[in-house]
Amino acid sequence: IKAYGVSWKGKSTDDLVISRFSRIKSTDEIWQWIRQVKKIRPELTDFLDFMAVTGLRYNEAVSSYNLILKLSRENKLLQYYNVEKEALEHYKFKELFIRKSKKAFISFVPKQLIDRIVRNHETFTRFAVQKRIQKAGLKIRLTDIREAHASVLTKYLTQPEIDFLHGRVGASVFMQNYFNPALINDLKDRVFKAIAEIQTKI
């Protein structure tokens, strides 16, 4: 590859934005899709609600959901879920969530949803979730949930805050050296306003 100067070239930023315009006309489409899947496959309800309120990437959501169940069974959930902050602290499990190009640091999750998840017995693989949705005769739109989540967050959070919650810490001087979510006292309150809005839609 080096000898011949071969390199991977993905879509340009412009093409990515344009493809979003043509793929999703309204975030209401995504919320409606979630409601459809939940109606036909009720066993996916808690998982889809979890994806909707966290905005985690699909693979991250599967890993996080399964980790909640695993630690709960071992009476170790508090190692992951901070009850006071109502936040999953992904950064404590670097091997799962802090990867070279895709990262997840924390996710705010209402305790009621965590309580619902731990009452479940079944863990998921990413293929199992997709297969159940396909068998229901519906399109796979799991990756669109993250985009819809971010769209709601724009009403309540700044771009650096959204980037942090979505695991995007860019190369800017501000993000690398100055941005510290621990110093933003009302971050949780504003995130929970966004979560409350999302919950009314799903």
Side-chain angles (χ1 to χ4, degrees):
I1 291 172
K2 288 181 180 178
Y4 288 90
V6 177
S7 62
W8 174 259
K9 187 175 181 181
K11 289 184 177 181
S12 70
T13 302
D14 292 342
D15 288 338
L16 289 171
V17 172
I18 291 169
S19 70
R20 285 198 195 103
F21 290 153
S22 58
R23 189 176 74 245
I24 304 174
K25 295 179 181 177
S26 168
T27 54
D28 289 339
E29 289 180 26
I30 307 306
W31 310 132
Q32 183 181 2
W33 177 84
I34 290 175
R35 295 194 301 269
Q36 284 181 311
V37 176
K38 286 163 59 174
K39 184 176 181 180
I40 300 172
R41 305 301 310 226
E43 73 276 15
L44 297 179
T45 293
D46 292 338
F47 177 74
L48 290 173
D49 286 356
F50 181 67
M51 281 198 71
V53 303
T54 62
L56 286 169
R57 298 173 184 88
Y58 176 47
N59 287 350
E60 292 167 348
V62 171
S63 296
S64 182
Y65 185 92
N66 290 341
L67 184 59
I68 291 168
L69 288 174
K70 177 181 180 292
L71 293 176
S72 175
R73 291 165 187 165
E74 297 171 357
N75 293 315
K76 296 178 181 177
L77 183 56
L78 296 183
Q79 294 178 8
Y80 184 29
Y81 185 65
N82 186 316
V83 177
E84 182 183 352
K85 295 179 181 177
E86 292 188 84
L88 290 167
E89 297 173 328
H90 308 302
Y91 63 86
K92 292 181 178 179
F93 299 86
K94 289 184 178 181
E95 68 283 358
L96 283 176
F97 301 108
I98 309 297
R99 295 167 292 168
K100 187 173 181 180
S101 60
K102 295 180 180 179
K103 310 177 194 303
F105 299 105
I106 67 166
S107 294
F108 290 99
V109 186
K111 187 175 182 300
Q112 302 96 305
L113 180 53
I114 296 293
D115 290 340
R116 280 168 44 195
I117 291 171
V118 299
R119 288 196 292 268
N120 292 316
H121 302 288
E122 183 183 13
T123 56
F124 293 116
T125 67
R126 62 191 184 95
F127 298 111
V129 174
Q130 291 173 331
K131 187 173 287 187
R132 292 183 194 196
I133 294 170
Q134 285 177 327
K135 284 185 176 180
L138 298 170
K139 290 182 179 179
I140 304 294
R141 304 197 65 173
L142 292 159
T143 56
D144 294 336
I145 297 174
R146 179 175 168 86
E147 191 173 321
H149 176 266
S151 296
V152 175
L153 289 186
T154 59
K155 300 179 184 179
Y156 305 94
L157 275 66
T158 64
Q159 182 179 330
E161 292 168 342
I162 296 171
D163 286 344
F164 170 73
L165 289 177
H166 275 211
R168 293 187 298 266
V169 177
S172 71
V173 172
F174 174 72
M175 289 299 290
Q176 292 279 335
N177 298 288
Y178 300 109
F179 180 73
N180 185 347
L183 301 178
I184 306 172
N185 296 324
D186 66 337
L187 180 60
K188 174 187 170 182
D189 293 339
R190 288 183 287 116
V191 172
F192 268 76
K193 286 180 181 177
I195 288 173
E197 180 176 334
I198 289 169
Q199 287 177 321
T200 64
K201 299 174 183 294
I202 57 175

